[in-house]
Amino acid sequence: MNRSDFLAALRATLGPDGLSTDPSDLTHWGRDWTRSLAPDPLAVVWPRDTAEVAAVVRACAAAGTAIVPSGGRTGLAGGAVAAHGEVVLSLDRLRDIGPVDGLNRSVTVGAGVPNSVLQTALVPHGLWWPVDLASKGSATVGGNLATNAGGLRVLRYGHARNWVLGVQVVWASGEITQLGGALHKDNSGYALQQLLVGGEGTLGILTAATLALAPLPGPSEVALVGVRDLGAAVALFGALRQLPVVVNAFEALTDLCLEQVIAHTGMARPLQPCATYALFDVENPRGADLAEWLAGQAGLVQDAALATDRTQADKLWSYRERITESLQPRRPHKNDVSVPVSSMAGLAAEVAQWFATHRPGWQVALFGHVGDGNLHVNALAPSDLAQKDWRLACEQADQALYGLVAARGGSLSAEHGIGLLKKPYLSITRPAAELAAMRAVKRALDPGNLLNPGKIFDL
Ligand code: MLT
Ligand code: ZN
């Protein structure tokens, strides 16, 4: 079947508004938040339900046209980029939210439900899905699961994979299978739904999921604290954990990040300038006196703001949550590494030293999730450097960074995934035998290499 017959057949299946080859749609839907990779899909399709997803998969398999499954496209590793004439299969229309089972604390939802819509729907039930992302307005449940999203509350709740009980999947063959269900306990053989979580759409297409839910978190206390460096932030985290509080999140950002947020948003500087800031969010059921505790941390704390109400707390959070959008105009080269929390300060010092020695004059924005040992290293493009020179210089810096991370037993992706961007480096932190096992799984489940080919690894 030639290309126009193939597209006509898809259009006949999906209806006139179910497919587009409009160049602006191809650009918009063919990429994620990664801006260094140019999209070039053949078409974008918007099936209305799982049966239509399966029909698209069968048609693409018959035509030998690869598929890029697509969620909210907020990924940062190129996992949802369609750069080689693929069909972008958007799950955007799969937005059903089933009845909430309050006793079982679960709900079944379509893959296209945005995080913020889900959370709003759960509020009347006193429940929430504890995958809390800065990109919650656009990110979707399906995308969260395909990438095993992390976010701002991993310290307390873990990754997305901890909060899924079952999934509905469309395999590369076009068959539809329910994996798992609404069971909190099920020890009967392989938990295949967990294989698909974090699979970046390479093993099957998730069309619906039964999610485990948590009670809505109680009121929290939030502080932004100026400290001398990331080591001091880590030490403050250790001290905070000695208190009888439940730590929801413990984040850090350097002053360069704060400067960019202030410049981008127009918000006022919240504290006197310090080299680094820690932000923590705690539930405090036993009423520990956090102001007094902060005052007692004189060796670590240079300045601090403790929110006295929710509005102030949200404002303090926004200095952290708005870093990504604020760095975007500077063409950041992003990295997302993790090490044990005990190695976090050492790694940050080594990274700063490496850039100071080998890339003098570069601005490198460091921030991340201290409580998870997850450091975001964002090098900001010098305005006088051409894009291709910038790319090359960053690729060399990546090799050095991953070497430092590997020496500390770390991972080159803590939460963003591998996609296209990290693929060349995966073997630095994953042994050859493990990669061979991953390839064997991919070949078994997708023998035609139809689903998101070229992501994570090449076959
Ligand atoms: C974050 O922590 O804000 C996200 O991982 C996004 C980013 O790294 O820019
Ligand atoms: Zn992050």
Side-chain angles (χ1 to χ4, degrees), residues 33 74 76 134 151-152 251 320-321 323-325 327-328 334-336 367-369 374 376 378 415-416:
W33 278 4
T74 59
L76 292 163
L152 302 166
E251 305 279 308
R320 166 64 185 89
E321 287 191 308
I323 294 174
T324 303
E325 64 177 87
L327 297 181
Q328 211 57 27
K334 301 182 82 69
N335 263 301
D336 161 43
F367 62 104
H369 316 280
N374 178 184
H376 293 311
N378 284 211
E415 58 181 2
H416 295 171

Side-chain angles (χ1 to χ4, degrees), residues 32 113 192 197 299 322 434 436:
D32 57 15
V113 174
L192 290 180
V197 174
R322 299 193 69 180
E434 201 177 356

Side-chain angles (χ1 to χ4, degrees), residues 391-413:
R391 279 277 286 279
L392 187 64
C394 288
E395 279 163 20
Q396 291 160 351
D398 285 348
Q399 291 278 1
L401 172 65
Y402 303 147
L404 297 174
V405 168
R408 290 179 175 276
S411 168
L412 59 82
S413 175

Side-chain angles (χ1 to χ4, degrees), residues 104 106-109 129 141 145 163-168 178-183 208-212:
N104 194 53
S106 64
V107 65
T108 299
V109 303
W129 195 51
V141 169
L145 293 177
W163 296 93
V164 59
L165 304 174
V167 298
Q168 187 175 54
Q178 176 67 36
L179 301 172
L183 301 178
T210 303
L211 307 174

Side-chain angles (χ1 to χ4, degrees), residues 127-153:
L127 296 168
W128 77 311
W129 195 51
V131 179
D132 186 19
L133 306 173
S135 55
K136 50 186 160 267
S138 313
T140 60
V141 169
N144 288 184
L145 293 177
T147 58
N148 186 28
L152 302 166
R153 313 262 164 176

Side-chain angles (χ1 to χ4, degrees), residues 105-106 141 183 229 248 263 268 286 307 356:
R105 287 196 175 154
S106 64
V141 169
L183 301 178
D229 57 17
N248 291 323
R286 285 161 61 183

Side-chain angles (χ1 to χ4, degrees), residues 357-445:
T357 308
H358 300 277
R359 298 286 184 273
W362 277 27
Q363 289 188 305
V364 183
L366 296 182
F367 62 104
H369 316 280
V370 169
D372 312 328
N374 178 184
L375 186 66
H376 293 311
V377 182
N378 284 211
L380 308 186
S383 49
D384 55 350
L385 206 57
Q387 181 67 19
K388 86 172 169 9
D389 298 334
W390 168 239
R391 279 277 286 279
L392 187 64
C394 288
E395 279 163 20
Q396 291 160 351
D398 285 348
Q399 291 278 1
L401 172 65
Y402 303 147
L404 297 174
V405 168
R408 290 179 175 276
S411 168
L412 59 82
S413 175
E415 58 181 2
H416 295 171
I418 299 304
L420 290 171
L421 278 191
K422 301 292 169 353
K423 176 170 75 169
Y425 311 103
L426 187 54
S427 60
I428 298 176
T429 58
R430 292 284 205 152
E434 201 177 356
L435 289 174
M438 289 191 206
R439 287 191 173 93
V441 171
K442 167 74 174 169
R443 287 195 187 101
L445 294 178

